[in-house]
């Protein structure tokens, strides 16, 4: 009985096995349905690039948006072109260009797609769309082109361009492909991860001619692209464009921030350029032209340029000296014994010294600060005093990076005792007489416009600041704002010590070193002028500087202006700052005479005086028939070097 059951079970298994074998034989040998389908169709993975996040100003005015375009990719191993000349005519490229592009594509990968042509408009793509069916290996991908309707803020925004080979190789997590676009410089680079969005993937069925036959599995495995987050900035575009107009025919920077929040309202780097130049198909050509421009418009001067702060640094001297106890608001210093020249009569107290920008006054303030430690050895006293000076000034954000949300911020220079030990080859080989130019913001001090506008905001707040930043939020204000742009930084200077300094700053605008036209009614501007030494490259004039805030009580805006080669700080820079503050506070310009003067002024130095300029070499003349030149009656002697006097730093 058991033996019969055994053979029954074996027979069942054999029948099942035979059934499977018969079915496999039918599918693989007799039925050609699947073989025909495999030969006619293939599954293609199509990556969907999301729209990049748009950029808005503080009033929801659009600064950057996306225009749909098409990028054409090529996979070299799949390429079949019956008539290369006809193909090049259709694509509007030359044969050498075609060979160059295909060579780069093959070097990247024969089997992977890489960029062939980018940013084809809808009209251009419509013209070639039908013809592309006859050319295997080419595929269009919908992309977008950054468009800048405001035509401003180019240096702060940065630009979007093709990813470099180095960036491709250095990816921690592989995301980008050759030919992809990525943010470079400015906010586009800083917030690349948020702006780029998340890619989607579609699986499409194609026949042997590359014609789409529909979605594979009805899109069951497709993922949708997620658009990038919109960036809300603190920029006021209306005031930004007005500040641009004031800086025409000038080199320099204008920065304005809201003191209570640290949000940047205006960011001008002059000379500037239209950001649309670097978002077109002609990126390379336009970029090369900007690189060759002798006035260097690609440099983001608000955060990358370093200047001597001039007399604006006297504000820090006054504050830290009061905190130390070596200076009282009633302290009076004259001019006697000071090696520095000055335009005022002397005999000022602290308020008057700030108002009139008295150089000898701050010479004595700095000297007393360094020697206030009680050390009798002159060299040791200077080192101890300078260390305390450095540590107190550093709390204003000087001498290090502030941490603004842009790449390439410069550090600047706030000298330390070690700095001079190295310069003078020993700790007991320098003293106050070697460093006294620091008292009026000259010497080895180097500060960016960003740090000076932050100083203005700190004084406006009476002792604290929030790190300046462009971002206001993602999607809407306050959403996604990093914690570091909410944190208050204290300077360690008591509130009461700011009051006489602010009185002096108001006096400087009302009846001090600022041109009278810049004392615009209704804005109550407080400020400090500066003239930064500029002894490089033979420039005739020094740099004009102004920092300030308005109104005096409950300030709404802090401003810093640098105008290179413009001379006196109370004229060029102060005028620009006053007009920017007026436009922001009043939403209109009433100081029309000052507006006309500023817009008519031209401080661009001649190209021949700029660093790097090379005078064209004239062809040699044939002198074979010329008579020898007569000998000169006398020979000129080389002048002996003289020590340059420190200029008036108002």
């Amino acid at each position: 009985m058991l033996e019969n059951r055994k053979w029954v079970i074996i027979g069942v298994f054999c029948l099942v096995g035979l059934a499977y074998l018969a079915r496999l034989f039918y599918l693989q040998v007799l039925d050609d349905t699947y073989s025909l389908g495999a030969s006619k169709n293939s599954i293609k993975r199509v990556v969907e690039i999301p729209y990049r996040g748009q950029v808005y100003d503080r009033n929801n005015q659009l600064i950057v948006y996306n225009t749909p375009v098409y990028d054409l990719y090529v996979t070299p191993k799949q390429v079949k072109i019956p008539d290369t000349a006809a193909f090049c005519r259709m694509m509007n490229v030359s044969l050498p260009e075609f060979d160059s592009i295909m060579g780069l594509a093959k070097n990247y990968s024969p089997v992977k797609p890489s960029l062939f042509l980018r940013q084809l408009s809808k009209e251009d793509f419509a013209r070639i769309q039908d013809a592309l069916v006859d050319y295997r290996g080419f595929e269009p991908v919908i992309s977008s082109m950054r468009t800048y309707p405001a035509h401003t803020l180019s240096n702060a925004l940065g630009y979007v361009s093709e990813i470099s080979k180095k960036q491709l190789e250095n990816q921690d997590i592989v995301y980008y492909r050759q030919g992809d676009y990525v943010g470079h410089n400015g906010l586009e680079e800083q917030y690349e991860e948020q702006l780029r969005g998340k890619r989607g993937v579609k699986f499409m069925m194609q026949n042997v001619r590359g014609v789409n036959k529909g979605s594979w599995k009805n899109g069951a495995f497709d993922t949708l692209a997620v658009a990038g987050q919109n960036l809300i900035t603190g920029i006021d575009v209306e005031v930004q464009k007005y500040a641009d107009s004031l800086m025409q025919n000038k080199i320099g920077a204008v920065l304005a921030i809201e003191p209570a929040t640290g949000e940047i309202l205006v960011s001008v780097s002059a000379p500037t350029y239209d950001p649309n130049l670097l978002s077109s198909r002609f990126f390379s050509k336009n970029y090369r032209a900007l690189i060759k421009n002798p006035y260097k418009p690609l440099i983001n001067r608000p955060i990358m340029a370093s200047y001597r702060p001039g007399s604006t640094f006297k504000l820090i001297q006054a504050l830290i000296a009061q905190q130390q106890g070596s200076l009282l608001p009633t302290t009076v210093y004259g001019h006697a014994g000071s090696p520095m020249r000055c335009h005022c009569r002397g005999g000022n107290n602290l308020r008057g010294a700030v108002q009139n920008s008295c150089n000898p006054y701050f010479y004595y303030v700095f000297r007393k600060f360094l020697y206030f430690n009680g050390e009798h050895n002159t060299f040791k006293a200077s080192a101890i005093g300078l260390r305390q000076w450095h540590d107190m000034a550093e709390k204003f954000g000087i001498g290090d990076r502030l941490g603004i949300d842009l790449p390439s911020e410069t550090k600047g220079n706030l000298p330390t005792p070690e700095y001079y030990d190295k310069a003078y080859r020993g700790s007991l080989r320098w003293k106050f007489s070697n460093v006294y130019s620091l008292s009026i913001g000259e010497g080895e001090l180097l500060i960016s416009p960003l740090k000076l506008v932050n100083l203005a905001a700190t004084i406006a707040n009476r002792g604290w600041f929030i790190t300046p930043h462009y971002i206001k939020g993602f999607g809407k204000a306050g959403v996604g704002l990093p914690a570091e742009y909410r944190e208050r930084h204290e300077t360690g200077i008591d509130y009461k010590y700011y009051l006489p300094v602010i009185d002096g700053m108001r006096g400087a605008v009302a009846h001090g070193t600022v041109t009278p036209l810049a004392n615009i009614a209704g804005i109550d501007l407080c400020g400090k002028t500066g003239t930064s030494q500029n002894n490089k490259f033979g420039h005739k004039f020094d740099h004009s500087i102004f920092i300030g805030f308005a109104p005096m009580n409950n300030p709404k805006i802090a401003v810093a202006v640098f105008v290179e080669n413009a001379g006196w700080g109370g004229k060029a820079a102060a005028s620009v700052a006053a007009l920017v503050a007026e436009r922001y506070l009043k939403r209109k310009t009433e100081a029309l005479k000052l507006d006309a003067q500023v817009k008519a002024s031209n401080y661009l130095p001649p190209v021949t005086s700029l660093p790097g300029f090379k005078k064209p070499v004239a062809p040699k003349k044939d002198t074979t028939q010329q008579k020898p030149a007569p000998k000169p009656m006398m020979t000129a002697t080389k002048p002996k070097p003289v020590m340059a006097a420190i200029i008036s730093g108002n």
Side-chain angles (χ1 to χ4, degrees):
M1 188 70 178
L2 293 173
E3 190 70 22
N4 292 335
R5 288 181 179 178
K6 173 183 175 182
W7 290 110
V8 170
I9 294 171
I10 292 173
V12 169
F13 275 103
C14 289
L15 289 173
V16 171
L18 288 171
Y20 271 109
L21 289 172
R23 182 61 179 168
L24 287 172
F25 180 79
Y26 175 79
L27 292 176
Q28 294 186 13
V29 178
L30 302 179
D31 187 6
D32 61 352
T33 303
Y34 290 94
S35 62
L36 291 174
S39 65
K40 290 183 178 180
N41 299 282
S42 61
I43 300 169
K44 184 177 182 183
R45 184 176 181 269
V46 179
V47 176
E48 284 195 324
I49 305 297
Y51 278 113
R52 200 170 176 85
Q54 301 183 138
V55 183
Y56 293 82
D57 84 336
R58 66 190 302 108
N59 300 313
N60 288 323
Q61 186 170 338
L62 199 57
I63 301 176
V64 186
Y65 69 90
N66 303 296
T67 299
V69 291
Y70 291 86
D71 293 335
L72 190 62
Y73 281 81
V74 61
T75 305
K77 195 168 184 179
Q78 299 177 6
V79 170
K80 283 190 177 180
I81 303 177
D83 187 343
T84 305
F87 179 80
C88 289
R89 285 194 298 270
M90 181 182 73
M91 294 296 179
N92 197 24
V93 297
S94 65
L95 280 170
E97 287 174 331
F98 174 83
D99 292 336
S100 175
I101 295 170
M102 290 301 295
L104 290 172
K106 289 175 183 176
N107 289 336
Y108 168 65
S109 173
V111 296
K112 292 181 180 180
S114 59
L115 190 66
F116 183 80
L117 282 180
R118 65 178 179 179
Q119 295 179 343
L120 294 169
S121 66
K122 289 184 289 186
E123 294 77 15
D124 287 337
F125 179 68
R127 179 176 55 82
I128 67 172
Q129 184 177 13
D130 292 338
L132 277 179
V133 176
D134 298 325
Y135 297 98
R136 288 184 56 186
F138 293 90
E139 58 174 319
V141 176
I142 295 178
S143 183
S144 61
M145 181 177 72
R146 295 300 249 179
T147 305
Y148 305 86
H151 303 277
T152 186
L153 212 66
S154 54
N155 298 89
L157 290 171
Y159 54 91
V160 175
S161 67
E162 188 176 344
I163 190 169
S164 67
K165 184 178 179 181
K166 185 176 180 181
Q167 287 175 308
L168 276 174
E169 294 171 350
N170 294 338
Q171 293 183 84
D172 294 329
I173 300 174
V174 178
Y175 178 86
Y176 300 101
R177 307 169 300 167
Q178 185 179 21
D180 283 348
Y181 302 121
V182 65
H184 290 277
N185 298 333
L187 296 174
E188 295 280 14
E189 179 178 330
Q190 185 74 23
Y191 296 110
E192 165 68 17
E193 189 173 340
Q194 293 87 350
L195 289 169
R196 75 188 181 191
K198 187 177 180 181
R199 286 178 171 168
V201 177
K202 281 187 176 182
F203 294 93
M204 304 296 294
M205 298 290 291
Q206 287 188 335
N207 64 14
V208 291
R209 292 178 62 82
V211 177
N212 286 335
K213 305 294 288 184
S215 180
W216 184 62
K217 296 283 187 180
N218 293 320
F221 298 96
D222 294 353
T223 56
L224 294 176
V226 179
Q229 299 178 64
N230 292 334
L231 175 61
I232 312 299
T233 70
I235 294 292
D236 189 318
V237 163
E238 180 190 338
V239 184
Q240 170 76 26
K241 290 194 287 187
Y242 178 65
D244 278 338
S245 70
L246 297 176
M247 291 299 287
Q248 291 292 317
N249 298 315
K250 302 171 185 67
I251 298 176
V254 180
L255 268 175
I257 66 176
E258 186 177 61
T261 63
E263 293 171 4
I264 294 177
L265 305 169
V266 173
S267 179
V268 175
S269 180
T272 187
Y273 60 93
D274 186 344
N276 289 294
L277 289 173
L278 298 185
S279 67
S280 69
R281 289 177 59 188
F282 308 104
F283 169 87
S284 298
K285 176 183 176 182
N286 293 336
Y287 187 81
R288 285 195 298 269
L290 290 171
I291 282 285
K292 293 178 181 179
N293 189 314
Y295 296 109
K296 307 300 180 186
L298 288 174
I299 295 176
N300 191 8
R301 288 178 169 84
I303 68 165
M304 296 174 68
S306 289
Y307 303 93
R308 292 167 174 168
S311 290
T312 59
F313 198 79
K314 294 173 182 176
L315 300 174
I316 292 180
Q317 304 283 32
L319 292 167
I320 64 176
Q322 287 183 93
Q323 185 68 36
Q324 185 196 45
S326 59
L327 176 65
L328 299 173
T330 55
T331 301
V332 175
Y333 288 120
H335 291 178
S338 169
M340 295 184 174
R341 296 184 298 172
C342 191
H343 56 278
C344 72
R345 296 181 179 180
N348 294 290
N349 61 14
L350 178 56
R351 288 176 173 84
V354 173
Q355 173 182 315
N356 298 310
S357 195
C358 181
N359 289 335
Y361 188 95
F362 288 95
Y363 167 85
Y364 287 116
V365 167
F366 186 52
R367 186 176 71 172
K368 190 169 184 180
F369 185 102
L370 293 194
Y371 294 145
F372 197 67
N373 53 68
E375 173 62 54
H376 296 293
N377 184 300
T378 301
F379 296 100
K380 289 183 179 180
S382 296
I384 294 171
L386 191 69
R387 169 57 61 191
Q388 185 181 11
W389 172 86
H390 173 276
D391 293 347
M392 294 180 77
E394 192 176 37
K395 292 183 178 180
F396 287 84
I398 309 298
D400 205 350
R401 294 176 182 86
L402 279 172
I404 190 173
D405 52 344
L406 284 186
S408 305
E409 180 190 352
T410 55
K411 185 177 180 180
N413 189 42
L414 183 66
T416 61
E418 293 77 17
Y419 179 91
Y420 289 110
D421 290 346
K422 184 177 180 180
Y424 287 91
R425 300 180 182 178
S427 59
L428 297 179
R429 303 189 67 175
W430 63 271
K431 53 185 177 179
F432 172 73
S433 59
N434 301 113
V435 300
Y436 68 80
S437 59
L438 298 176
S439 63
I440 60 168
E442 297 292 347
E444 293 73 28
L445 272 170
L446 288 175
I447 293 178
S448 66
L450 173 67
K451 295 192 176 73
L452 281 187
V453 75
N454 188 61
L455 171 61
T458 302
I459 297 173
N461 292 331
R462 278 68 169 171
W464 58 272
F465 67 90
I466 294 175
T467 301
H469 53 279
Y470 289 86
I471 185 176
K472 195 175 177 71
F474 290 101
K476 61 180 181 178
V479 176
L481 182 66
E484 59 264 33
Y485 301 133
R486 301 177 188 268
E487 180 185 356
R488 280 176 48 150
H489 302 274
E490 303 288 341
T491 60
I493 308 296
D494 293 346
Y495 178 94
K496 62 183 178 181
Y497 297 134
Y498 285 89
L499 303 182
V501 171
I502 291 171
D503 287 342
M505 293 174 71
R506 178 61 194 140
V509 177
H511 38 75
T513 54
V514 174
T515 181
L517 284 177
N519 184 27
I520 300 172
I523 67 170
D524 206 18
L525 179 65
C526 303
K528 182 72 191 74
T529 58
T531 308
S532 177
Q533 285 186 345
N534 178 31
N535 50 17
K536 291 184 179 180
F537 313 120
H539 289 315
K540 182 179 179 181
F541 297 107
D542 295 296
H543 301 323
S544 177
I545 310 173
F546 179 88
I547 69 170
F549 59 87
M552 183 175 181
N553 298 307
N554 192 23
K556 302 296 183 185
I557 183 173
V559 190
V561 178
F562 280 72
V563 184
E564 295 186 13
N565 314 301
W568 176 40
K571 177 67 174 177
S575 299
V576 172
L579 289 167
V580 169
E582 181 195 34
R583 176 60 70 95
Y584 180 72
L585 295 172
K586 295 182 178 181
R587 313 308 299 174
K588 60 182 178 179
T589 298
E590 295 177 347
L592 298 179
K593 183 176 180 181
L594 183 63
D595 174 86
Q597 283 187 4
V598 170
K599 289 179 178 177
S601 59
N602 186 337
Y603 298 111
L604 281 178
V607 173
T608 54
S609 68
L610 296 175
F613 172 77
K614 294 182 179 180
K615 187 176 180 180
V617 179
K620 292 183 178 180
K621 296 181 179 179
D622 182 10
T623 58
T624 54
Q625 302 299 323
Q626 294 180 359
K627 295 180 179 180
K631 293 183 179 180
M633 296 295 294
M634 61 182 70
T635 57
T637 58
K638 187 177 181 180
K640 295 181 179 180
V642 296
M643 184 177 292
I646 295 180
I647 65 166
S648 174
N650 51 343

